[in-house]
Amino acid sequence: MASASHRRSLRKRRTTLVWAVAVAAVGLLVSLVIALRPGGEPDTVRTAAGTAAGTRPSASPTTRTPRPSPKPSTSSPAPRRTPAAATTATTPSARPSPAATRSSAPRPASGAAPLAGRIKPGTTYDGVATHYDAKDGDGACLYGPSPDLMVAAMNHADYETSQACGAYILVRAASGASVTVRITNECPLPCAPGQLDLSKEAFAKLAGLSAGRIPITWSLLSPGTSDTVSVRYKTGSSRHWCGIQALGHRNPLARLEVRTGGGWSRLTRTEYNYFLSPDGTGCGGSLRLTDIYGEQLTVDGIAVRPDTVQPTRVQFTLR
């Protein structure tokens, strides 16, 4: 038979067990209630679920990688906010303005002479004037005799392989007297750059012949004239070889070209003021004359007639 103390100890253990079972049962019941109620998951679960559900509005960095947004340097709205700047940058290449078109194909301005050599329009040259007996007015330019003896010989440097031939020069003396002469001859060395050797008739308009040598200034002139340009083939010219000369041109002549199957061919100028075609190219065909200002005159129908002056209907523009 168990003693009283043993029975009391047993009852205590049973009581403790009952309370433990009861507490466990209550805890289980509370857990079941919490688990079964709507939205009854713990806050940490709701937070994770909410984060997963919220990925749709804002893409993650890995989502942006396949479709990257433009870089700040290229996506800046500044160009769009200033359309005028964008228009300025694109308009010249997309739709050239009339000014841009003119600049791409420039036309010589009045007074501009892109083909001028040593003697340029709008320039005053210092020099000295001497005089010589011009006789019939002919000279190194081989224009032939002329009734007009207001002529001069250009110094060797400014004669420039006959490019000065036919130029009209306004000559002024220190006294204020002036005369206009046409270059028909060359003054060989020792004539210095700037020097003009005038016919006696022209020199007399500036000073007495006894002066012999006077200081002058001179400049290129584009004279008014009703004459037209003439063309002459040199003696001995034929379809196989020819020399061509232009006469009566208002402005200095820079080029003479002949038409060929491939376009225009420029002929070489000689010291005696003829342009040569040594193989006959273009002899008897169309000619193109260009003055120092770049103006071009085309002449057709000039046959090979040696030593014959053949007039045309064209003349360079007054400058």
Side-chain angles (χ1 to χ4, degrees):
M1 174 184 239
S3 64
S5 61
H6 179 75
R7 286 195 298 270
R8 285 194 299 270
S9 177
L10 181 61
R11 282 197 299 268
K12 288 180 181 181
R13 287 197 296 274
R14 287 176 180 171
T15 300
T16 301
L17 180 61
V18 170
W19 278 106
V21 171
V23 171
V26 171
L28 179 59
L29 180 60
V30 171
S31 298
L32 290 174
V33 171
I34 292 174
L36 295 175
R37 69 176 180 175
E41 65 271 21
D43 287 344
T44 54
V45 176
R46 287 200 304 271
T47 302
T51 303
T55 56
R56 290 190 297 271
S58 60
S60 65
T62 55
T63 303
R64 289 197 299 269
T65 301
R67 295 181 295 169
S69 60
K71 296 181 180 179
S73 60
T74 58
S75 64
S76 171
R80 292 192 292 272
R81 288 200 303 266
T82 56
T87 301
T88 301
T90 58
T91 297
S93 58
R95 293 181 297 172
S97 65
T101 302
R102 288 196 297 271
S103 66
S104 64
R107 297 174 61 185
S110 178
L115 301 181
R118 290 177 56 89
I119 303 174
K120 303 181 186 301
T123 302
T124 298
Y125 298 89
D126 294 319
V128 296
T130 52
H131 60 79
Y132 74 108
D133 185 0
K135 300 183 188 294
D136 59 5
D138 197 6
C141 296
L142 296 187
Y143 286 132
S146 169
D148 180 10
L149 294 182
M150 293 296 110
V151 296
M154 181 62 72
N155 67 82
H156 174 75
D158 295 324
Y159 183 76
E160 203 172 5
T161 315
S162 78
Q163 185 160 321
C165 287
Y168 288 85
I169 303 296
L170 175 62
V171 187
R172 294 184 182 278
S175 64
S178 64
V179 64
T180 297
V181 296
R182 183 169 62 101
I183 302 301
T184 62
N185 208 347
E186 177 187 9
C187 183
L189 295 174
C191 276
Q195 182 174 348
L196 292 175
D197 202 20
L198 306 179
S199 66
K200 290 188 297 183
E201 292 79 0
F203 190 94
K205 299 286 184 179
L206 304 178
L209 295 181
S210 59
R213 182 185 182 94
I214 60 173
I216 58 168
T217 61
W218 56 272
S219 57
L220 184 64
L221 183 67
S222 179
T225 177
S226 58
D227 294 339
T228 60
V229 178
S230 296
V231 173
R232 176 166 55 195
Y233 278 93
K234 195 176 188 309
T235 301
S237 293
S238 69
R239 290 281 184 175
H240 308 290
W241 177 95
C242 66
I244 309 172
Q245 181 187 60
L247 307 86
H249 41 86
R250 171 185 277 128
N251 305 318
L253 192 65
R255 296 173 182 168
L256 190 150
E257 299 166 286
V258 294
R259 192 190 296 277
T260 66
W264 292 98
S265 178
R266 182 178 175 181
L267 300 186
T268 300
R269 193 171 199 161
T270 66
E271 291 277 349
Y272 51 89
N273 197 34
Y274 273 87
F275 295 81
L276 296 186
S277 176
D279 59 359
T281 298
C283 296
S286 297
L287 308 177
R288 186 166 71 177
L289 312 178
T290 305
D291 70 5
I292 61 171
Y293 298 95
E295 183 179 0
Q296 295 179 328
L297 306 176
T298 300
V299 180
D300 297 315
I302 302 296
V304 180
R305 296 174 184 168
D307 204 25
T308 300
V309 176
Q310 302 182 63
T312 71
R313 297 180 180 180
V314 294
Q315 180 59 274
F316 291 116
T317 303
L318 178 67
R319 302 285 176 170

